[in-house]
Amino acid sequence: MEQSEVVLRAIGILTQSAEWIRTANRDAGGETDGHAGGHTGGGTGAEGPSPERGSGEGQIGSLLAEVFPSFTVSPESTPLEAAHAVTAAALPPMMQLIGAFTYVFAQLAEVHDSGRTDITSEDLLRELALRMSRPNDAV
């Protein structure tokens, strides 16, 4: 999976997470402040949506299944050899995922730290997704 695709999926998860938090707060009787990730009462947001509403677990699991390769470890491998095989297979996709979420976080943090109030987190995520969808602008 290309890095730009992973970034787009990370943006999708982060965008959807704002809705999960709002839904969890509404279900718990709380109110949200209207900004991505913010809430002013009721629930912690940790309750999350039910699977029928498109849980984060489903989206995150799907992303992990697409990014991480399937591999086998020889039954004759020593524990150390097996650990090295798992690390060798898992490290590149882990770095790809960490890079994607770090990039999106840095973009959000830059706008926040600059004091801009003319764009919401959700708008910025939408803008990043559009930018990442153009081949010349990919990470």
Side-chain angles (χ1 to χ4, degrees), residues 79-122:
L80 185 58
E81 291 169 335
H84 284 284
V86 170
T87 300
L91 189 58
M94 284 177 23
M95 297 304 294
Q96 190 176 35
L97 286 168
I98 291 167
F101 280 95
T102 301
Y103 171 75
V104 175
F105 173 81
Q107 296 297 305
L108 289 166
E110 183 179 319
V111 170
H112 176 270
D113 292 349
S114 71
R116 286 183 58 188
T117 58
D118 61 316
I119 187 167
T120 66
S121 296
E122 290 179 44

Side-chain angles (χ1 to χ4, degrees), residues 7-22:
V7 171
L8 283 169
R9 297 286 294 277
I11 290 169
I13 289 168
L14 293 172
T15 301
Q16 188 62 43
S17 71
E19 183 58 32
W20 297 327
I21 290 169
R22 283 192 292 274

Side-chain angles (χ1 to χ4, degrees), residues 27-121:
D27 291 350
E31 296 180 20
T32 62
D33 66 3
H35 291 87
H39 57 80
T40 58
T44 63
E47 301 86 0
S50 64
E52 308 85 56
R53 289 184 280 184
S55 72
E57 288 179 19
Q59 285 190 18
I60 293 167
S62 174
L63 176 60
L64 291 174
E66 290 180 42
V67 171
F68 280 89
S70 82
F71 59 94
T72 57
V73 176
S74 170
E76 293 84 32
S77 297
T78 67
L80 185 58
E81 291 169 335
H84 284 284
V86 170
T87 300
L91 189 58
M94 284 177 23
M95 297 304 294
Q96 190 176 35
L97 286 168
I98 291 167
F101 280 95
T102 301
Y103 171 75
V104 175
F105 173 81
Q107 296 297 305
L108 289 166
E110 183 179 319
V111 170
H112 176 270
D113 292 349
S114 71
R116 286 183 58 188
T117 58
D118 61 316
I119 187 167
T120 66
S121 296

